[in-house]
Amino acid sequence: MTATATSNPIVLSLRNLRKAFGAVTVLQDIDLEIRAGEVLALLGENGAGKSTLVKILAGFESVTAGELLLHAVAAEGNVRVDAHWQQARAEAEGVILIHQELNLVEQLTVAENIFLGHELTRGPFLDKFTMRRLTREYLAALECDIDPDTPMHTLAVSAKQMVEIAKTQSKQARVLILDEPTAVLTQKESQVLFALIERLRQQGVAIVYISHKLDEIAQIADRITILRDGTLVGHYAAQDLSQDDMARLMVGRELSDLFPPRSSTPDYQQCALRVTRLLVAGTNTPVSFELQRGEILGFAGLVGSGRTALLETVVGLRAAARANTGTLEVADKPVVLRDLATARRHNIAYLTKDRKGSGLLLDKGLVMNFSLFALSNYAGLLIHKKQEEVALAAVVDAFDIRIKDANVLAGNLSGGNQQKLLLAKMLAAKPSVLIFDEPTRGIDIGTKGQIYQFINQLAASGHSIILISSDITEIIGLSDRVAVMYHGDLTGILKDDEIEEHEIMRYATGLKSRQQIPVPIQRAIG
Amino acid sequence: MVPSTLVAQTIGVSIPAATHGWAGGLNYHAEQTKARLEAAHPGLSIVIVTAGSASEQANDLEDLVAVHNIDALVILPFESAPLTGPVSNVKRGGVFITVVDRGLSEPGIQDVYVAGNNTEMGRVSGEYIKEALGGSGDIVVLRGIPTVVDEQRFDGFMASIAGSGINVLDNQYANWNRDDGFTVMQDFLARFPKIDAVWAQDDDIAIGVIQAVRQAGREDDLFIVGGAGMKEIVKRVMDGDRLTPVDVLYPPAMISTAMELTALKFIANMPVEGEYILGSPLITRDNAEQYYFPESPF
Amino acid sequence: MPTIDLKTAGPFVALLLIFGIGILVSDAFLSAGNLTNILARSSFIGIVAIGATFVITAGGIDLSVGSLAAFISGCMILLMNSLVDTIDSPIAIVLLAMLASVGIGAVAGLVNGLLTTRAKIEAFIVTLGTMGIYRSLVTYMADGGTLSLNFGIGDVYSAVYYNTLFGLPYPVWVFLAVAVIAYVLLNMTVFGRHCFAVGSNENVARYSAINVDRVKTATYILQGVCVAIATIIYVPRLGSASGQTGILWELEAIAAVIIGGTVLKGGYGRIWGAVVGALMLTLIGNILNLTDSVSNYLNGAVQGIIVIVAVYLQRGSWRKH
Amino acid sequence: MPTIDLKTAGPFVALLLIFGIGILVSDAFLSAGNLTNILARSSFIGIVAIGATFVITAGGIDLSVGSLAAFISGCMILLMNSLVDTIDSPIAIVLLAMLASVGIGAVAGLVNGLLTTRAKIEAFIVTLGTMGIYRSLVTYMADGGTLSLNFGIGDVYSAVYYNTLFGLPYPVWVFLAVAVIAYVLLNMTVFGRHCFAVGSNENVARYSAINVDRVKTATYILQGVCVAIATIIYVPRLGSASGQTGILWELEAIAAVIIGGTVLKGGYGRIWGAVVGALMLTLIGNILNLTDSVSNYLNGAVQGIIVIVAVYLQRGSWRKH
Ligand SMILES: Nc1ncnc2c1ncn2[C@@H]1O[C@H](COP(=O)(O)OP(=O)(O)OP(=O)(O)O)[C@@H](O)[C@H]1O
Ligand SMILES: Nc1ncnc2c1ncn2[C@@H]1O[C@H](COP(=O)(O)OP(=O)(O)OP(=O)(O)O)[C@@H](O)[C@H]1O
Ligand SMILES: [Mg+2]
Ligand SMILES: [Mg+2]
């Protein structure tokens, strides 16, 4: 455990930190130094305590025991602040945290969110003009083209994340902490973020960075601190660790290949789901595709390309366009999926990408969340609570959901563990057609492999799978075929050798398009 | 606008909404009288408005003047004090004013005053109970809603039994409401093993009291004096029910009297100014028939 | 965990405290008569509050319950009075009226439900509107006065309120039965679970294949049926209905629900809480009638203070959680 | 965007419709006298509703406004009557009473605010409790009867309700002023912005370093002050206070707020909506007085239907959004 010696001044440090929620200790014996002008990466499995640690740094959680020291800018005379380190104080000292989960007021606009809590005023009044102008500037610096007056709830998740990031520019940061900021961003957006991080680092801002994407860590980190199960594994210089080293130190064992070879091939004779000329609301090109039995069909595309909209329309969560004349067949039988309950009756399940907004009841326990989608499987006239609990225990085991306290609320699970719970919830319905929207968002590298393996096994046992993902290696590593979308249009379905990053990108950016389905001229008269 | 007997005349009638039995009777009699008067006198039009509170009634007065251009107002004020100002505003516009039941807080505003006598009603009730109990006994009192009307009745009652051997065990508000009458009486019965008589102040309350007494099986230990002249109670009196030997009249039909007097002013061009105070006679088995209106809702 | 126990026990503790005050205040308090009175009385509000627990748990609110009770009473009385001449058996007439009552309650709930879910009008406005409508209708039906039940039928029907079984009046048994059924429904069935989910986060519910509109509508129907049941045991008590019947029941019922620990914003509900809340409100009224140490004028103030303190005491234990 | 315009315009469209009905129903409707009457009348509920807009936007609710109005009326009257002998100038007395009124309103709001935020009791329970308390207190102060303002002072004070400025009665000007100030406060200041944030998502607000408790408490204080202002222009109208004053104002105020498009669950509020809502409710009452084609017994039903339909119409345009 050799801390790398850099000469940069320390801004914030922790000594012997312990953190407990009630009787459950989630962090102990943590020592940490955060230095100016340096990117410190925090690594660890889901539930290792990363988010809790940075919440303590930013004053959102209290310290149970140990010391939190704030170092004066002059590098001398550090102050112990743990007893009264509250968020407002932390923010005043320039310690800014971007939370793992979005913290935005949906009803307010982009500009209003960016300045929430530290609004600019002219006299007694809000200086809306300046706030709007600055918002535009901040967003421009992130190469993000959003109108400051857009209501938050109309934005896609990635845009929301960019707004979160833009928010930090409205504050004078000395320590900027980013908790999995790129989980919902595209590669391009991520690179823009890294450029911003680099600029700030040059200006002497201390950066604390959390991510499960190890390539990013390798790209931007100066030092790496690894946590395992609430304890410190060690502090390392970034150049000393390969990505494999990082993974091994995090998980505590050797990792097998991330993408296991496929053990089965799809049955191209049996169509599990056929979508014909479906017109999604807000688009004007009908979309057709087929999903075969035992197939993994990847959906690639840039964020906002309409993958979620398409598949949510398919399963009945959204109304199709008024002019829609398309049809839907499940196992070669025409069906109308009016809502998700109908879809479930046809053995189709859908995993939402928005785990906080539409995935989990954050104020409820695990059992209730787990069984909600497939409740009838655990109920006759009455709910069999024992059965529910047994089933939950089984999936906690199967998905390696790390819970230290059986009565924990879903909202208090770590992000990755929430995602696993959501997966378990969907699978509890025992569907035969599974639509995964960003299934590994926020999942640690060790568990990712397990989930991939699991998806493979599902396909091998005859399940049909649609996999929407912004992680192109995931798409390539798992899919039998890849559908690519661009601007709400399905531009191509790639097979075999065509499944390759550059080819996918060509379709995803509209440079190439295979399915030239003519736009129907006739409009149904409403 | 010169008032003329040739021009069609409009009488505005402003009364509380039918939210309890007595007010229901009031509304009924007002509607009946309107129909009768309008049929008999084609030039006459009568507008009845009902209010749920004093300020609503003040609104109604404004509307009667601004919109209906009334020549005369018949008003039963929701409460006296708050409506004194608004009525005197109406008066200032040259409107003939008839006040019913609850007098205004200032003299000289109304041209005609038709009223029952709340103090008298309390007194008559008290006198009867005193006499029936032979001058001494334990009683309970169920009052209405804390208002001036309730206060006057209560004071009249207490004055009449003052100095006698009648002991008021307790009094509680029952809000001129059957359910509350039932509840309060149940609790009185639980609390006091000996009750010789009940003054329920109002017949709606009395109905609740009767049920509670029956449930407790104490019909034979006590009697109940209600008030107002609700048809159900009057019927019982008429039938010689031991539990409700008498009732004390406080007739909702006083609104008819007031409307007729006011109409007379225009039709017959008679001077009708003055006070018409209706008594609160004791309804007994002997005279009950003349106070019994089976077709009225009250 | 002990804190969870405290949280559940909160309303019971508050109830016991008030009970203790009752004992101190009057000897008559503990008499069997008084205790059964309290139980029977609280059954109306209690049953209505049980219905409200479903509505509130699923994130709605129903202000129309009091006037719906009045309206149903009125309909029942009119129906029974009109059947006297055609049907001989009073019992048959009463049973028919009970059926009609439940039917009207269910339809009224359905209307509230459809207006909130289909027409997408705020529940507060919908039920404020229907509150006015039902109250007006009953006043209209009664010609501004009181509808009274035919004497003969009233005699038969009154058994439903006044007769007892194992020493307890029928209303108490009905109350108990409704509470037990509701408890099972809310805590042990799929529907109940869905109520929690819908109230907690509608969107998550929708993404969990729950028909949100149907669940919400069902809660309003349940509320309507509960009002109907409460009315069925209310009518025989006084045998009459007027524009005044059931006034402010909505506030009392909602207060009972919240005193019992159900969360007004939805997502968390407790049937036993509503029962305890209704008992608590009735107890306070009863105790105030048993003592004259408080000026009559101040009854409302004492009631207000006790409710606030009672809820504070139970919240106090929550906060440890 | 046109849809946003429609959404904002919704309540206005509904108001215009009702206005149109008024014109059809009676010639006298459009008379200057009638129109100023309507405006002056709606100012009470309007001002209270403006306060309620803040409370509801920040996710709270206040049921105590009606009885607080009664209580403040009572205090003002007692104060003025007691000062008659010591202070010569009636104007000075009236001004003092106005000051006292605002002070009492603010303190009452503070109490509601602290009980909800510090003691963490549901706002519904707190304000239901204080509602009972204030109503009892005013009954107590009036000894069960009515408190009447000293005649001499009443004469001076009544100018505040009855006198006009540029043809409009004072209350209308006060209403307008309160509305403009409230609009600025809610939409153009940091405080207003924080109300939206707190009502929309308390946790996010807390994470944004907003003092949630302080914002919520401030909305209750504002509500109290609004009630005080409404009372200041109410007292000279009727010159008295009793246990019956201001009954059901809370429901009317909340209805006005919601008719105007404010969301009951918090997070979105519109001052002009509350103004329009108050006007709409007053208009409906006025129109019902203008016609006798509706039985008086059915007033409540017609009112209920119109409110539901009006809200439906404006929601209709929302849904295009
Ligand atoms: N408020 C809370 N109450 C109880 N337990 C909590 C609370 N917040 C976090 N925990 C627990 O603390 C542990 C650490 O969670 P944390 O969110 O810090 O993990 P993480 O390292 O960020 O994981 P991930 O990579 O999945 O985001 C988890 O077991 C979590 O359930
Ligand atoms: N500017 C906008 N205004 C309104 N709604 C928007 C806007 N941008 C995106 N959305 C909505 O946000 C959601 C984003 O999902 P969408 O289907 O567009 O993208 P996606 O490609 O599936 O996203 P991802 O790649 O993150 O899975 C869609 O429902 C879309 O309608
Ligand atoms: Mg985390
Ligand atoms: Mg009217």
Side-chain angles (χ1 to χ4, degrees), chain A residues 55 60 87-88 91 99 102-108 112 116-119 121 124-126 128 131 153 167, chain D residues 1 4 184 187-191 193-194 196-197 199-201 203-210 266-268 321:
Chain A
K55 280 186 200 162
F60 288 95
Q87 180 223 346
E91 202 170 307
H99 290 264
L102 295 169
N103 270 290
L104 298 162
V105 178
E106 297 279 326
Q107 277 97 325
L108 296 183
E112 288 168 352
L116 189 63
H118 54 280
E119 289 81 1
T121 51
F125 301 119
L126 290 169
K128 293 187 184 179
M131 287 194 279
H153 62 87
K167 221 164 143 180
Chain D
M1 278 202 298
I4 294 239
V184 170
N187 296 289
M188 295 164 72
T189 69
V190 173
F191 169 71
R193 184 64 57 78
H194 288 184
F196 280 88
S200 171
N201 191 327
N203 281 329
V204 174
R206 204 166 281 129
Y207 274 19
S208 304
I210 294 171
Y268 184 70
H321 160 79

Side-chain angles (χ1 to χ4, degrees), chain C residues 222-286:
Chain C
L222 267 181
Q223 170 74 84
V225 170
C226 282
V227 172
I229 295 173
T231 309
I232 286 174
I233 55 175
Y234 170 82
V235 170
R237 184 165 106 173
L238 297 177
S240 65
S242 73
Q244 270 227 299
T245 304
I247 265 185
L248 290 187
W249 277 18
E250 53 280 347
L251 279 190
E252 263 188 76
I254 297 172
V257 169
I258 297 174
I259 287 172
T262 295
V263 178
L264 190 59
K265 295 215 184 249
Y268 184 71
R270 293 196 289 193
I271 296 295
W272 290 117
V275 173
V276 169
L279 285 172
M280 211 183 286
L281 289 177
T282 313
L283 265 181
I284 296 173
N286 177 254

Side-chain angles (χ1 to χ4, degrees), chain A residues 98 101-104 159-168:
Chain A
I98 299 183
E101 305 292 347
L102 295 169
N103 270 290
L104 298 162
K160 286 180 184 167
Q161 183 67 49
M162 292 310 268
V163 172
E164 274 290 13
I165 293 165
K167 221 164 143 180
T168 61

Side-chain angles (χ1 to χ4, degrees), chain D residues 173-197:
Chain D
W173 291 111
V174 176
F175 187 16
L176 199 69
V178 171
V180 169
I181 294 170
Y183 179 84
V184 170
L185 197 57
L186 187 64
N187 296 289
M188 295 164 72
T189 69
V190 173
F191 169 71
R193 184 64 57 78
H194 288 184
C195 289
F196 280 88

Side-chain angles (χ1 to χ4, degrees), chain A residues 246-294:
Chain A
M246 296 179 206
R248 191 171 34 77
L249 287 167
M250 267 169 63
V251 183
R253 60 187 148 81
E254 290 294 333
L255 281 178
S256 50
D257 215 4
L258 200 53
F259 296 105
R262 288 295 300 274
S263 57
S264 65
T265 49
D267 179 352
Y268 283 107
Q269 306 313 312
Q270 269 183 292
C271 180
L273 178 70
R274 182 180 293 119
V275 174
T276 315
R277 301 183 63 76
L278 177 71
L279 194 58
V280 174
T283 68
N284 43 29
T285 320
V287 171
S288 307
F289 68 90
E290 287 181 4
L291 174 68
Q292 310 301 336
R293 185 162 187 276

Side-chain angles (χ1 to χ4, degrees), chain A residues 74-266:
Chain A
E76 280 140 358
N78 38 14
V79 213
R80 199 176 150 179
V81 290
D82 43 71
H84 42 267
W85 188 240
Q86 250 132 33
Q87 180 223 346
R89 170 86 194 280
E91 202 170 307
E93 296 286 353
V95 183
I96 311 291
L97 167 64
I98 299 183
H99 290 264
Q100 180 170 9
E101 305 292 347
L102 295 169
N103 270 290
L104 298 162
V105 178
E106 297 279 326
Q107 277 97 325
L108 296 183
T109 67
V110 170
E112 288 168 352
N113 266 290
I114 281 183
F115 286 94
L116 189 63
H118 54 280
E119 289 81 1
L120 303 182
T121 51
R122 185 184 291 160
F125 301 119
L126 290 169
D127 187 354
K128 293 187 184 179
F129 179 79
T130 308
M131 287 194 279
R132 223 176 265 143
R133 182 174 57 76
L134 287 174
T135 300
R136 217 171 273 127
E137 277 174 22
Y138 298 155
L139 289 169
L142 292 172
E143 299 173 31
C144 190
D145 178 30
I146 306 173
D147 182 356
D149 289 330
T150 319
M152 213 63 222
H153 62 87
T154 63
L155 290 182
V157 203
S158 67
K160 286 180 184 167
Q161 183 67 49
M162 292 310 268
V163 172
E164 274 290 13
I165 293 165
K167 221 164 143 180
T168 61
Q169 298 177 66
S170 65
K171 306 170 183 176
Q172 274 302 321
R174 280 172 65 211
V175 179
L176 176 61
I177 308 170
L178 302 109
D179 192 351
E180 298 194 38
T182 56
V184 297
L185 298 185
T186 55
Q187 268 179 345
K188 184 162 153 275
E189 286 166 327
S190 302
Q191 293 307 325
V192 172
L193 172 64
F194 297 155
L196 173 73
I197 289 176
E198 181 55 28
R199 272 203 304 283
L200 292 172
R201 196 175 68 100
Q202 306 257 313
Q203 290 162 18
V205 176
I207 312 279
V208 178
Y209 188 85
I210 300 176
S211 176
H212 290 294
K213 299 179 179 172
L214 302 182
D215 50 339
E216 294 177 356
I217 306 289
Q219 186 189 340
I220 65 165
D222 296 309
R223 289 191 303 137
I224 296 173
T225 292
I226 299 183
L227 298 178
R228 191 190 306 144
D229 202 17
T231 58
L232 198 59
V233 175
H235 305 292
Y236 307 90
Q239 66 266 23
D240 295 347
L241 294 185
S242 69
Q243 291 187 36
D244 280 341
D245 294 335
M246 296 179 206
R248 191 171 34 77
L249 287 167
M250 267 169 63
V251 183
R253 60 187 148 81
E254 290 294 333
L255 281 178
S256 50
D257 215 4
L258 200 53
F259 296 105
R262 288 295 300 274
S263 57
S264 65
T265 49

Side-chain angles (χ1 to χ4, degrees), chain C residues 66 70 73 116 155 185 200 209 228 241-242 255 284 313:
Chain C
S73 303
T116 43
D155 242 24
L185 196 58
S200 168
S242 73
I284 296 173
L313 288 179

